[in-house]
Amino acid sequence: MRELGTQSLGIDDRTLDAAIDALPPITALLSLVQLTGNRLLLDRYWDALDGRQEEAVESMRDIAAHEQRPTVDPAVALEIREALRKAVKSGRPPVMTKVDMPLFRRMSRLLLGEDLPEMSVDVAYQHAGLTTDTRIRQATDVPPPGFKVIVVGAGMMGINAAIKLQQAGFDYTVLEALDKVGGNWLTNTYPGAAVDTPSRVYSFSFEPNPAWTKFYPRGPEFLSYLDRVTDRYNLRDNIQFGTRVEGAEWDEGRKIWTVRAVHNGQPQTLECNVLIMAVGPNNDPNYPKVQNLDTFKGPVIHSAVWDDKVDLSGKKVVLVGTGCSGVQVATAIADRVGELVIVQRQNEYIVPSPQAHADVDEAERVAMEHIPFVMNWKRLQALHGQLGDMHGMVLKDEEYAAKTGGFGPINDGMKMWANAYLQSHFPDDPEMVKMLTPDFPVFAKRPIFDCGFYDTLKKPNVSIVRGELAAADESAVILADGSRIECDVLLLSTGYNLHFGRQFDIRGAGGKTLKDAFDPHPFSYEGMLITGFPNFVFMGAPYSYLVANHAVVSEQQVHYIIELLQWMVDDHLASFDVTPEATKAFVDDVDTELQRSAWVQHGSAHGYYRDKGADGQKKVILAIPRHNSRIWHDLRSPRQEDFAVTVRTDIAPAPERKMEMLTI
């Protein structure tokens, strides 16, 4: 029986035993409860386990020293693991595939060592993957024949939207300019490209990946995940690759969108009832204005459009930019090039990330792959830091500031943490420390997880200079202060232009273009909708970033979209459009709160958070100054009073079905 059980799991006894023996007792117990259906096990072991929780090692979470917690009695740990071993190898299916909410509260309390804030309980339940159905509206009808949805973009957001549209029964087509899925993860192939969110949470909650090989997966590994998800849900038949969308126009009379595209070089016109843009803001590499750059004889490569054909071996390379991609590139190529000169326009906060290059432990990976529910509870641990109160992290604590001269308790704590980390790397080089120490609040620019950048700066063939690229000649680049640096290759890690849809010719009600509507700055309602553009959803629109990782945010937005479309179906709506009053109320509230944020009170920091309008004024539009758990609740259902709608006249309301008594 033992052998049969492990064969059904696809692994041998020894491998499974090692995974169970390495599993923390609390995680083992939670899996055991679900496998056996015996919730009384929590009471039996509670006192022996509580206060002895495993410390999940997560970047940007535990910034203060904590007391050493006592360990679990080895005899208790052995007893739990032996019971789990027996349950797993029995080959019987789990008894408790669903965890009710009271039990989830208790199980998560034991796992995390504290109660989740009430606003985060439902959020944690979903994003831990303990439910795959978060629908609120109970559908009363199915999408009518001919009701068509077009999604533009087959990156992470577009794949998410396609899956949920398919599950909800909508006829949809995804238009993708490239020949494969993946979006930015398909185009970003620069050396060292990696996800800067822990892998176990940078995936769909309804399709977690227990088999990550890296704590922070490299680009190709994440791309393969998106490929597997696409195939698992049979999405390819609904994706039209090689299709570059040029624009779209709203037909007020017919209440449809006409989409103009180029498919495999040929013009194409498509129609849909609802148009969803899932292209994200990062679509266009930002090339700095450099005089005479065309005279430089060597290769010029932007990290967003990497050229693998250029051999960097032994070359003198100038790398411009020390943001997330810049530090990854520098770390990846330093040992390959002859000399690397890094040009840094402004210093950055770099925080410790001991798992930056770490492999996921084999025993842990086996446990997540082959022991039911371990993946879910590990995922919840990884999410824990995002679920609590973050007072004084991004929004300024005025009382605290008045007393201390600082910004906020968490923000200042992270600042001290990052600065101490910097000093620990250069204890005998005060000039380097001074050069690399920022003078603005944390989060005024995006903090960077250290992937080995500080160690890279210590290499004998690597140097860093402060400056801004201004010009070039045949064999060198010239900085704004006149410094001339000879080089063979110029690498630009200078980010993206954030268009927010302004690169498309999108025309809404009355023919008004999205570009005109976004003058002087882009805006949105709830990070997705734009007044004057009916039946139009822009995923990842302004006011939807910097509160959680992309996987989390996109899932919440897709949930809202499905609720919105089901409302259209049930009430036979021809169109919806957010009222100007609702949009103004949302934008005013967000803008007011943003004034207290490190994104606005950014001191000397510059960067992509701030949109430069046609009037030359900069405004923070990327971020939303709300806790992600609040956003989750805000997006559960559309507030119908915020919409102007029209009703279809070609469909008669379905008669109310009454329940009649049946007899024999």
Side-chain angles (χ1 to χ4, degrees):
M1 189 68 182
R2 170 173 174 161
E3 192 63 28
L4 180 64
T6 52
Q7 282 182 356
S8 67
L9 291 172
I11 55 173
D12 58 68
D13 265 7
R14 181 177 298 178
T15 303
L16 181 61
D17 285 337
I20 292 174
D21 291 340
L23 202 59
I26 292 178
T27 308
L29 178 65
L30 300 185
S31 175
L32 180 63
V33 168
Q34 289 191 256
L35 280 167
T36 62
N38 185 1
R39 63 181 67 202
L40 297 180
L41 291 171
L42 289 176
D43 294 328
R44 181 187 304 174
Y45 293 108
W46 189 279
D47 290 341
L49 298 178
D50 192 28
R52 297 163 175 81
Q53 281 79 8
E54 172 198 16
E55 283 292 331
V57 181
E58 298 293 342
S59 296
M60 296 180 65
R61 180 185 168 207
D62 193 10
I63 64 174
H66 52 76
E67 296 179 1
Q68 184 68 36
R69 291 182 174 178
T71 58
V72 176
D73 184 335
V76 172
L78 177 63
E79 185 175 311
I80 293 171
R81 291 182 180 124
E82 288 302 317
L84 178 63
R85 200 183 323 271
K86 180 180 179 182
V88 171
K89 292 185 178 182
S90 72
R92 290 189 292 269
V95 174
M96 189 186 294
T97 56
K98 299 282 187 180
V99 175
D100 59 55
M101 195 55 71
L103 181 59
F104 171 69
R105 291 175 190 273
R106 188 159 171 76
M107 294 173 83
S108 62
R109 161 65 182 80
L110 182 60
L111 178 73
L112 304 175
E114 62 182 6
D115 291 319
L116 287 166
E118 192 60 30
M119 183 169 275
S120 293
V121 173
D122 289 331
V123 186
Y125 188 73
Q126 179 207 328
H127 287 300
L130 292 167
T131 180
T132 59
D133 182 9
T134 61
R135 294 284 295 272
I136 300 297
R137 188 179 188 92
Q138 297 297 312
T140 60
D141 209 343
V142 297
F147 190 98
K148 180 75 177 181
V149 181
I150 287 180
V151 179
V152 180
M156 195 169 194
M157 292 189 299
I159 291 171
N160 194 339
I163 291 169
K164 295 303 178 180
L165 285 167
Q166 181 172 276
Q167 291 176 339
F170 288 95
D171 181 14
Y172 73 94
T173 297
V174 180
L175 305 180
E176 171 54 53
L178 303 174
D179 60 354
K180 297 178 182 178
V181 301
N184 278 341
W185 291 109
L186 185 61
T187 57
N188 278 263
T189 61
Y190 62 84
V195 180
D196 63 356
T197 300
S199 55
R200 65 186 56 165
V201 296
Y202 197 71
S203 52
F204 302 127
S205 67
F206 55 84
E207 195 60 46
N209 179 23
W212 296 115
T213 63
K214 295 282 188 182
F215 193 86
Y216 292 99
R218 300 293 181 264
E221 185 173 10
F222 188 74
L223 190 60
S224 68
Y225 165 76
L226 293 180
D227 264 323
R228 291 196 304 274
V229 172
T230 299
D231 289 333
R232 175 176 172 82
Y233 289 90
N234 195 31
L235 304 181
R236 293 189 196 277
D237 290 345
N238 290 76
I239 303 175
Q240 185 173 297
F241 293 104
T243 304
R244 178 171 50 84
V245 171
E246 294 185 332
E249 186 170 359
W250 172 249
D251 186 327
E252 182 63 36
R254 299 172 61 204
K255 299 292 190 290
I256 62 168
W257 281 96
T258 300
V259 179
R260 303 186 313 280
V262 176
H263 175 55
N264 293 333
Q266 298 299 316
Q268 183 182 36
T269 300
L270 306 96
E271 294 182 344
C272 61
N273 299 84
V274 176
L275 177 59
I276 300 173
M277 301 297 290
V279 295
N282 295 341
N283 326 104
D284 181 27
N286 174 39
Y287 286 90
K289 295 179 180 179
V290 181
Q291 293 181 3
N292 303 320
L293 184 59
D294 57 341
T295 66
F296 181 68
K297 296 281 177 116
V300 178
I301 307 172
H302 196 289
S303 57
V305 282
W306 192 262
D307 187 351
D308 289 309
K309 295 189 295 294
V310 176
D311 184 7
L312 301 178
S313 302
K315 302 290 179 59
K316 181 174 181 180
V317 176
V318 167
L319 169 65
V320 179
T322 53
C324 292
S325 60
V327 300
Q328 289 178 344
V329 169
T331 303
I333 70 172
D335 292 333
R336 189 192 322 169
V337 303
E339 183 179 353
L340 176 63
V341 181
I342 302 168
V343 178
Q344 182 182 61
R345 184 169 60 148
Q346 188 174 52
N347 37 29
E348 313 270 355
Y349 283 108
I350 295 182
V351 297
S353 182
Q355 310 89 354
H357 299 289
D359 294 331
V360 176
D361 181 76
E362 182 182 0
E364 184 173 18
R365 191 168 66 249
V366 169
M368 290 192 290
E369 285 189 80
H370 297 288
I371 303 176
F373 314 112
V374 168
M375 177 70 243
N376 303 107
W377 298 110
K378 289 283 187 180
R379 187 177 169 103
L380 178 58
Q381 280 185 313
L383 287 164
H384 185 200
Q386 304 173 26
L387 299 171
D389 188 70
M390 301 174 183
H391 178 72
M393 185 175 81
V394 176
L395 298 184
K396 189 172 186 178
D397 183 330
E398 296 294 350
E399 183 177 346
Y400 172 92
K403 291 180 180 178
T404 66
F407 189 88
I410 297 181
N411 195 293
D412 283 3
M414 291 192 67
K415 182 176 182 178
M416 291 185 288
W417 183 47
N419 288 343
Y421 182 66
L422 167 61
Q423 291 168 3
S424 72
H425 275 76
F426 303 98
D428 303 317
D429 193 345
E431 288 303 313
M432 180 69 84
V433 171
K434 181 179 179 181
M435 177 183 176
L436 297 178
T437 301
D439 62 354
F440 43 79
V442 181
F443 297 108
K445 299 181 72 174
R446 184 178 183 176
I448 299 170
F449 294 148
D450 187 19
C451 57
F453 183 64
Y454 284 160
D455 288 333
T456 296
L457 294 181
K458 298 177 185 179
K459 295 180 184 292
N461 66 328
V462 177
S463 59
I464 184 169
V465 298
R466 176 65 57 76
E468 188 168 353
L469 188 60
D473 59 30
E474 290 187 358
S475 58
V477 296
I478 302 166
L479 305 186
D481 65 0
S483 302
R484 184 175 180 276
I485 308 172
E486 291 193 357
C487 59
D488 303 309
V489 181
L490 173 61
L491 304 181
L492 302 173
S493 288
T494 48
Y496 296 88
N497 294 308
L498 273 62
H499 294 299
F500 284 110
R502 288 172 288 188
Q503 72 271 40
F504 300 103
D505 180 24
I506 297 177
R507 299 175 181 269
K512 188 173 185 179
T513 67
L514 188 65
K515 186 176 181 179
D516 287 341
F518 282 175
D519 183 21
H521 299 283
F523 65 91
S524 78
Y525 167 88
E526 296 292 357
M528 282 176 284
L529 305 175
I530 297 103
T531 297
F533 293 80
N535 294 17
F536 178 77
V537 182
F538 197 113
M539 293 186 66
Y543 304 126
S544 64
Y545 288 96
L546 308 184
V547 294
N549 78 65
H550 202 50
V552 167
V553 171
S554 64
E555 280 197 47
Q556 293 171 175
Q557 293 198 343
V558 169
H559 165 88
Y560 183 89
I561 291 168
I562 300 302
E563 294 290 307
L564 185 60
L565 298 193
Q566 191 62 52
W567 174 32
M568 288 188 74
V569 169
D570 291 344
D571 288 9
H572 307 125
L573 303 182
S575 69
F576 62 82
D577 192 8
V578 179
T579 66
E581 295 79 13
T583 295
K584 184 178 185 302
F586 174 80
V587 171
D588 287 350
D589 181 68
V590 170
D591 281 348
T592 298
E593 283 297 291
L594 277 170
Q595 298 308 306
R596 300 172 47 218
S597 73
W599 303 313
V600 171
Q601 297 192 36
H602 57 81
S604 64
H606 52 64
Y608 68 93
Y609 291 175
R610 290 160 279 281
D611 179 76
K612 186 176 181 180
D615 58 359
Q617 299 298 310
K618 292 185 177 181
K619 182 183 180 185
V620 174
I621 62 166
L622 191 72
I624 182 166
R626 295 177 179 174
H627 195 290
N628 182 65
S629 290
R630 174 191 167 174
I631 296 168
W632 188 94
H633 287 280
D634 288 346
L635 298 184
R636 287 303 87 195
S637 299
R639 293 184 291 276
Q640 296 186 13
E641 64 272 19
D642 287 354
F643 290 83
V645 301
T646 61
V647 180
R648 295 181 64 159
T649 58
D650 60 331
I651 299 179
E656 183 179 353
R657 295 172 63 91
K658 294 183 178 180
M659 185 183 296
E660 297 181 357
M661 184 66 68
L662 301 178
T663 71
I664 57 171

